[in-house]
């Protein structure tokens, strides 16, 4: 961290799949016009955090979120702070849902936090559908047994299977 590079591994390497496949906006792109006033999702790790109190005695925090593209400083105030303060710990890997809104005081665009979750729960909370696509030639009894056992499991995701016969040009779609 002192060198400005990671010698062993980036803190988000364990979450590369989530960062690549769940629609996280890279932090260095947040100020782009296409993200203004639209619901977006960002993720990363907390590289710095300060838990503070306003002059009126209201608690709030300022923290820096870092992803593969860069860093972004965020503020969270009063009710939202009280709701999510336990997640605002140095090095926590989190994802946030919110909106880019214009700050009425200074006219700058900033991320307005609506929800914070640990990044380790992204797959569980954000996966809506699993699609398997395979060629008929690769299908065997063992694979059918494995797929059947997964299809019988309780879960929140819809399972969709596409089986193709490339030779005849047929496709069969199966849905759970």
């Amino acid at each position: 961290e002192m060198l400005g590079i990671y010698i062993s591994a980036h803190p988000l390497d364990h979450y590369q799949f989530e960062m690549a496949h769940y629609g996280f906006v890279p932090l260095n792109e947040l100020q782009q016009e296409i993200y203004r006033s639209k619901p977006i999702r960002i993720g990363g790790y907390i590289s710095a955090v300060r838990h503070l109190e306003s002059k009126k005695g209201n608690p709030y925090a300022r923290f820096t979120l870092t992803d593969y593209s860069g860093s972004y400083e965020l503020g969270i105030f009063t009710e939202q702070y009280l709701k999510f303060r336990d997640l605002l710990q140095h090095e926590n890997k989190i994802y946030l849902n919110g909106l880019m809104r214009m700050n009425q005081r200074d006219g700058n665009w900033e991320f307005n936090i609506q929800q914070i979750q640990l990044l380790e729960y992204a797959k569980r909370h954000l996966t809506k559908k699993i699609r398997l696509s395979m060629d008929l030639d690769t299908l065997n009894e063992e694979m059918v047994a494995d797929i059947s056992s997964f299809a019988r499991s309780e879960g929140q995701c819809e399972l969709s299977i596409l089986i193709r016969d490339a030779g005849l040009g047929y496709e069969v779609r199966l849905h759970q």
Side-chain angles (χ1 to χ4, degrees), residues 1-174:
E1 199 172 309
M2 289 174 58
L3 297 173
I5 60 170
Y6 298 96
I7 295 171
S8 59
H10 192 281
L12 293 174
D13 282 352
H14 185 71
Y15 300 99
Q16 281 182 323
F17 180 86
E18 289 86 340
M19 297 299 290
H21 294 94
Y22 286 102
F24 293 107
V25 173
L27 295 176
N28 68 344
E29 295 180 13
L30 268 184
Q31 292 297 324
Q32 292 182 10
E33 193 171 328
I34 61 170
Y35 299 118
R36 294 179 180 175
S37 303
K38 294 180 183 175
I40 57 174
R41 181 178 302 127
I42 59 176
Y45 72 95
I46 298 174
S47 55
V49 63
R50 293 175 297 162
H51 297 270
L52 305 162
E53 192 172 292
S54 71
K55 291 178 185 177
K56 294 181 180 180
N58 295 325
Y60 72 99
R62 307 268 325 141
F63 64 99
T64 303
L65 190 68
T66 302
D67 69 4
Y68 290 111
S69 70
S71 298
Y72 191 83
E73 187 169 326
L74 298 137
I76 186 167
F77 306 94
T78 318
E79 285 183 36
Q80 293 290 74
Y81 173 77
L82 294 174
K83 187 175 179 182
F84 300 118
R85 70 178 165 204
D86 293 339
L87 296 173
L88 300 176
Q89 303 299 320
H90 187 260
E91 295 292 321
N92 261 5
K93 285 76 174 172
I94 60 173
Y95 70 93
L96 303 88
N97 293 314
L99 296 168
M100 287 301 290
R101 289 199 174 148
M102 185 183 292
N103 184 325
Q104 297 302 321
R105 287 177 280 125
D106 59 15
N108 291 326
W109 287 87
E110 51 188 45
F111 188 77
N112 182 274
I113 300 168
Q114 296 174 335
Q115 182 72 32
I116 302 175
Q117 292 284 329
L118 290 173
L119 201 48
E120 67 186 76
Y121 298 124
K123 282 182 187 171
R124 184 181 310 156
H125 293 148
L126 302 175
T127 303
K128 305 293 181 214
K129 186 174 190 175
I130 297 173
R131 293 183 194 154
L132 293 175
S133 180
M134 64 187 76
D135 291 322
L136 183 60
D137 298 341
T138 63
L139 197 58
N140 58 37
E141 287 185 36
E142 183 180 340
M143 187 178 288
V144 170
D146 287 343
I147 292 170
S148 296
S149 69
F150 286 120
R152 283 191 292 268
S153 305
E154 289 294 320
Q156 302 297 318
C157 296
E158 178 184 334
L159 176 62
S160 173
I161 302 170
L162 174 68
I163 301 172
R164 288 185 303 267
D165 184 336
L168 297 175
Y170 291 123
E171 292 183 349
V172 175
R173 294 182 190 274
L174 307 170

